[in-house]
Amino acid sequence: MIRIGITGHRNLAPDVGRAVAALIDSHLEPYGCAMVGLSCLADGADALFAAAVLDAGAPLEAVVPARGYRDGLPAGHHRLYDRLLSRAVLVHALPHEDSTPRAHLEAGRFLVEHCDRLFAVWDGEPARGPGGTADVVSHARSLHRPVSVLWPEGARR
């Protein structure tokens, strides 16, 4: 069973989100339910990936960067976050109190170190802060983890 992690951008425009969801579905299709998905469940790429993993009938593991993580997510995402978290077969809760960039970076590193392959919903731009998508991709590449970059052609953040 392959373990696939996700990193990616948040706050995706609706049309970009639909295109990303289609890319995720097509890249997960070959694995069927013979995979485990790892996600931090944030709005955007993380949640789209987690939902696709569950829709495929595969187990989902959640990585929670900090006790205050949920509170740092957009209020409109809390319901979906709670639903996805409740369906996780395993929750990796990191020992941070506050949802800071450092906690997010450590969560990204943890995710990479516990997966066999990483999907990155990434426009190729540098991270906007510590723990951003580019940092997680860089860590994965430093460990020689296969990285599949999924970004719709012509899309903008």
Side-chain angles (χ1 to χ4, degrees):
M1 181 145 335
I2 187 167
R3 298 172 59 78
I4 304 171
I6 184 70
T7 188
H9 299 312
R10 299 175 54 195
N11 304 317
L12 299 173
D15 60 327
V16 175
R18 285 188 295 275
V20 165
L23 284 169
I24 289 170
D25 285 344
S26 69
H27 280 77
L28 287 178
E29 187 176 7
Y31 302 104
C33 61
M35 66 175 153
V36 174
L38 288 89
S39 173
C40 292
L41 309 179
D43 55 301
D46 289 10
L48 292 169
F49 173 84
V53 166
L54 292 169
D55 287 349
L60 172 68
E61 293 182 14
V63 179
V64 179
R67 283 186 199 93
Y69 181 62
R70 180 187 184 272
D71 294 337
L73 297 172
H77 181 64
H78 289 181
R79 185 179 212 177
L80 177 57
Y81 175 84
D82 293 344
R83 185 166 49 87
L84 294 170
L85 186 64
S86 74
R87 295 198 51 202
V89 297
L90 184 59
V91 177
H92 304 277
L94 300 187
H96 300 283
E97 189 65 36
D98 299 321
S99 188
T100 63
R102 178 177 167 231
H104 298 173
L105 179 59
E106 288 186 28
R109 288 181 175 176
F110 178 94
L111 190 141
V112 165
E113 292 162 9
H114 290 84
C115 74
D116 303 307
R117 168 176 290 282
L118 182 70
F119 286 2
V121 175
W122 181 40
D123 61 4
E125 296 294 321
R128 293 181 177 172
T133 303
D135 292 338
V136 178
V137 169
S138 177
H139 185 61
R141 288 179 173 160
S142 76
L143 296 177
H144 306 288
R145 292 285 189 281
V147 176
S148 298
V149 176
L150 312 178
W151 190 248
E153 189 173 329
R156 294 181 183 256
R157 287 184 60 200

